[in-house]
Amino acid sequence: MQTLFLALFVSYVVAMAIVRLQRLHLPYTGDEHSSAIQKFHHGVVPRVGGVAVALGCGAALAWSGWRGLVGIESAWLLIAVGPAFAAGLWEDLTKRLGPMARLLATLAAGVLGAWLLQVQLTHVDIGWLDAWLGWQPVQERAIAPLGLLLTVIGVTGLSNAINIIDGFHGLSAGVSILMFIALGYVGWAVGDALVVQVSLAMAGALLGFLVWNFPRGLIFLGDGGAYLTGFVLAQTGVLLTVRNPEVSAWFVLLVCAYPVTETLFSIYRKLLVRNVSPAMPDGLHLHMLVYRRLLRWAARPAAARDVTRRNAATSPYLWALSSLSVMPAVLLWRWPWALQACTALYAAVYVLLYRRLARFRSPVWLRRSVGAGSQPDSSR
């Protein structure tokens, strides 16, 4: 637990410094509220919380390495995430790096991670696909093109998925903490010290950041922090399944079902339903529908405070939704068929909930009044 507490402490202190000294850097690091379709906050807020998470995680893993709990692999992991984190941080500072450039940076990070860590998916518990993946004992360090491709796509996809759900105070950080705890628990169950230490380091670093991010939104994770979190989450999942063949890849998929489902459904909605580019921002993500449909408010003199409270009140709904996949994954990680069934069931629940919210059929028992009054939201 030293790893978790050290990561929490370092991240907390760095985030505090960013918040307290923001007058010195806010012209460069600030994310200003505007009429943009995906802006749901008030005022100018530093969006470089990823720096605190990175330093917290790095310090904790360095301490774990000094104690002999992890080897050189932890250093390779931190090096591999570099292109994705750097691209995201550059966007946080300049607001000028396009989505394609950031996608290519996360792809490069995925390839670098597979090369440095010498890991690629070797089994997904689907007979015919496992044969195509070209399974080989890990010790032989065999390179199977399809396995490498699937690994890079998965790592890149989850890196961007965490960025997609990073829309409200505490949302992506809270969900990611749940997922890292799940990976760490199974890593402990199979005796994989690297997975345990990385999971503890990231969970602690995100907790230290979360203190300043939720509920008041004093600092944002930013693209750099989101890509960092998603990449390490995905790479830790790959390490867990490759180094421990008894752990199914479906366990990792079910743990990460919320951001993965959100991303796939978003691509489907934009590309096939609306006939627009998947990179085009819109206001129709599930967390945005929860914000608009389930949280009622009144824009009165305390409007700014209401925006902050309503923003923060959105995240617990999605934490609960994510836990619906994380909990069965932790309980059923030994049984691939059960994980597959739960993954399909979760996707069905997500689609059903999305359709109900999109059609203004949100259950009354889920609605909350937030803010200075109880009048319905005018955006309904």
Side-chain angles (χ1 to χ4, degrees):
M1 296 299 286
Q2 294 181 32
T3 301
L4 185 145
F5 289 119
L6 178 59
L8 190 157
F9 174 76
V10 172
S11 178
Y12 174 86
V13 171
V14 173
M16 178 176 66
I18 292 172
V19 171
R20 298 303 188 195
L21 301 175
Q22 60 181 288
R23 66 184 183 277
L24 302 177
H25 58 75
L26 206 56
Y28 310 100
T29 65
D31 188 21
E32 184 174 1
H33 168 74
S34 68
S35 59
I37 198 168
Q38 293 184 335
K39 299 289 185 179
F40 296 96
H41 67 276
H42 181 80
V44 184
V45 181
R47 56 179 288 175
V48 290
V51 174
V53 176
L55 292 176
C57 178
L61 288 179
W63 174 250
S64 296
W66 186 79
R67 296 166 61 207
L69 298 177
V70 295
I72 192 63
E73 294 91 347
S74 62
W76 295 145
L77 177 62
L78 295 177
I79 292 172
V81 75
F85 177 64
L89 187 60
W90 185 251
E91 165 62 13
D92 295 330
L93 294 174
T94 66
K95 290 81 173 174
R96 295 178 182 176
L97 194 63
M100 183 55 66
R102 283 176 277 145
L103 177 63
L104 291 175
T106 54
L107 275 170
V111 173
L112 186 60
W115 177 59
L116 289 175
L117 294 165
Q118 290 291 298
V119 291
Q120 62 188 50
L121 288 173
T122 56
H123 63 285
V124 293
D125 295 312
I126 299 177
W128 62 270
L129 185 54
D130 284 351
W132 278 93
L133 286 175
W135 186 91
Q136 293 288 340
V138 176
Q139 290 81 1
E140 293 185 13
R141 303 287 190 242
I143 296 297
L146 185 57
L148 177 61
L149 177 63
L150 191 59
T151 302
V152 172
I153 290 175
V155 170
T156 303
L158 190 56
S159 300
N160 285 273
I162 296 299
N163 194 37
I164 286 175
I165 67 169
D166 185 29
F168 292 97
H169 302 167
L171 176 52
S172 60
V175 168
S176 297
I177 289 169
L178 289 175
M179 294 188 290
F180 275 114
I181 290 173
L183 294 180
Y185 168 77
V186 174
W188 170 81
V190 298
D192 194 321
L194 176 62
V195 169
V196 173
Q197 293 301 310
V198 171
S199 299
L200 288 174
M202 281 301 299
L206 288 167
L207 277 170
F209 159 81
L210 193 62
V211 172
W212 297 98
N213 175 246
F214 183 85
R216 294 177 293 169
L218 299 177
I219 187 173
F220 293 161
L221 196 59
D223 285 5
Y227 290 142
L228 167 73
T229 302
F231 179 90
V232 176
L233 184 67
Q235 199 67 66
T236 303
V238 172
L239 286 166
L240 178 61
T241 57
V242 172
R243 290 156 58 100
N244 308 279
E246 66 270 33
V247 180
S248 172
W250 287 90
F251 163 73
V252 179
L253 181 60
L254 184 57
V255 165
C256 304
Y258 165 53
V260 170
T261 306
E262 176 68 39
T263 302
L264 294 177
F265 191 78
S266 177
I267 293 173
Y268 161 77
R269 184 184 70 245
K270 294 177 182 180
L271 194 60
L272 299 181
V273 177
R274 300 182 59 209
N275 195 29
V276 298
S277 168
M280 181 74 66
D282 67 14
L284 297 175
H285 292 292
L286 180 62
H287 50 274
M288 298 174 185
L289 294 181
V290 170
Y291 177 85
R292 294 189 176 104
R293 304 286 191 258
L294 296 182
L295 296 171
R296 300 182 295 174
W297 76 323
R300 293 183 178 177
R305 184 172 68 251
D306 287 349
V307 169
T308 300
R309 293 175 61 184
R310 190 182 181 205
N311 184 315
T314 302
S315 295
Y317 283 99
L318 285 309
W319 295 345
L321 180 64
S322 180
S323 69
L324 293 180
S325 69
V326 172
M327 288 191 295
V330 170
L331 294 173
L332 303 171
W333 67 270
R334 296 177 180 85
W335 297 287
W337 61 269
L339 295 170
Q340 293 169 356
C342 288
T343 302
L345 179 61
Y346 184 87
V349 169
Y350 174 95
V351 173
L352 177 62
L353 177 61
Y354 188 97
R355 286 171 59 88
R356 286 182 65 88
L357 291 177
R359 296 182 177 186
F360 299 89
R361 295 177 180 175
S362 53
V364 175
W365 61 275
L366 281 176
R367 299 176 191 168
R368 287 184 57 196
S369 295
V370 177
S374 59
Q375 297 297 321
D377 181 0
S378 60
S379 67
R380 278 172 165 267

